[in-house]
Amino acid sequence: MTDFPRTFADALLSTVLDVAPIVAILLLFQLVFLRRKPPNLRRIAAGSVLVLVGLALFLIGLENALFPIGRTMASQLTAPETLGAERLADGIDWHDYLLLYAFAAAIGFATTVAEPSLVAVAMKARDASGGAVHAWGLRIAVAVGVAVGVALGCFRIVTGTPLPWYIIGAYIVVMLLTFRSSRSIVPLAYDSGGVTTSTVTVPVVAAIGLGLAASVPGRSPLIDGFGLIAFASVFPIMSVLGYSIAASWLARRRKSKLPKEA
Amino acid sequence: MCRAGTNPEKQPEDVTQFLSAMLGLTLSSVRDLAPIILVIAFFQVVVLRQPFPDLLSVLIGLLCVIAGLTLFIQGLESGLFPLGEALAQGFAQKGSATILLAFGFCLGFGTTIAEPALIAVAAEAAAVAAEAGAIVNDDSARATYALELRMVVAVSVGAAIVLGILRILKGWPIHWLIIGGYVLVTTMTVFAPAEIVGVAYDSGGVTTSTITVPLVTALGVGLATAIRGRNPMIDGFGLIAFASLTPMICVLAYGMVAS
């Protein structure tokens, strides 16, 4: 952090380079096909600059403050020393890693709450539904899904059970929940699976997976280190659908109770 | 009601109002980041019993994260969302589905091909494939594999946005398409080489970047609002869902072809 202006300039440059293709495509279609200036262009341009500067600052801060500690912690919590060497002598058992599951769930939840793209989708959902979808409630539901998913994904790496069983099992639950859910929440729930795994969550969760696969005997980081992101993308779909089913069930129950009490 | 003090329609009239809006946004950024700070502090101090390395630089970093998130959210409301909506309205008035679909493909392809997370995953996938003996284990073979994989994923995201826009235009129900995709993924998992499966499943999650998501979501909701007979909640969402499903299918297919 000593050389802040330079770090900031580098981060800003790489963010601008990441967005360059988007800007090029937008300009091409705007100038060639639409040929109509969007209203309040100046405000949009100012907002886009804010997005770029904000994202660059956000990434520098994460890179300097949170990711190094998160990665060190992931490797420390997966290291054999933390578990006690004498216990490992008689082979590995899945409950030797309870502390790690707790960390995985907690960090999965926390990184999801801080995920900027999820904030964006939640704001859009609140506006599109006219306030029926509560932005904060949606984000908590998604974060709970990620927490459960990542913890279960760690359990899978420790036990070495095949990844497809879990993911395909999760698909079946998603399908069943889909048919029980109201039609207006389903697209949003499917979307929330994809947005959770972004800037904040992926680096930390991937570090846990790779560290765990490297330290558990008999697992290879190359083969078993993958899959946590998949868990983190499927489970939020379940938790959002489950949340909406539970919410409408509670609302119905309250309604059916009211006349009796009156 | 969650992001107090921001109204997309109204520009702050004077400095005080602007400052109080920014203060409200900053407070919600602090709230958003509180869980991550608490979790890390708890495990660092209570569980691992270690002091923070270089506390000053951590604190400066935290200030950057909070300021960055605040500016980003402010920019979403005044920049990316109106941009996506303006595009959606422009395309709806123009009335040419072909141009709209071409735009969707370019947007999906262009934002994915340069995505840093995808570049990292493609390189790891090439290492996995080389380890498993599916390709020759040297630098050039791995580089070719990684580049081809990135192209496959980028094309599949482009195709996903096209399919998603088509769905909005036609008003198809989303769940049949997504469940069909799940069935396809399940079937292909049985036949694909085992070492590609983990990579394929993860590839769905890495394709949606922080700039693309707000833009694509605003575009979808904007289209569903502009087209008569479409509901923003039922038809507007779902583009991201397609963009996380098709890469899995295409990477599995690539693994089957490449081995």
Side-chain angles (χ1 to χ4, degrees), chain B residues 214-227:
Chain B
L215 205 55
V216 165
T217 309
L219 180 73
V221 173
L223 277 176
T225 313
I227 298 171

Side-chain angles (χ1 to χ4, degrees), chain B residues 35-59:
Chain B
I36 200 169
I37 297 167
L38 287 176
V39 168
I40 287 192
F42 175 78
F43 275 86
Q44 185 79 1
V45 177
V46 180
V47 179
L48 295 169
R49 295 205 191 87
Q50 274 159 2
F52 271 96
D54 202 359
L55 193 61
L56 181 69
S57 117
V58 169
L59 286 178

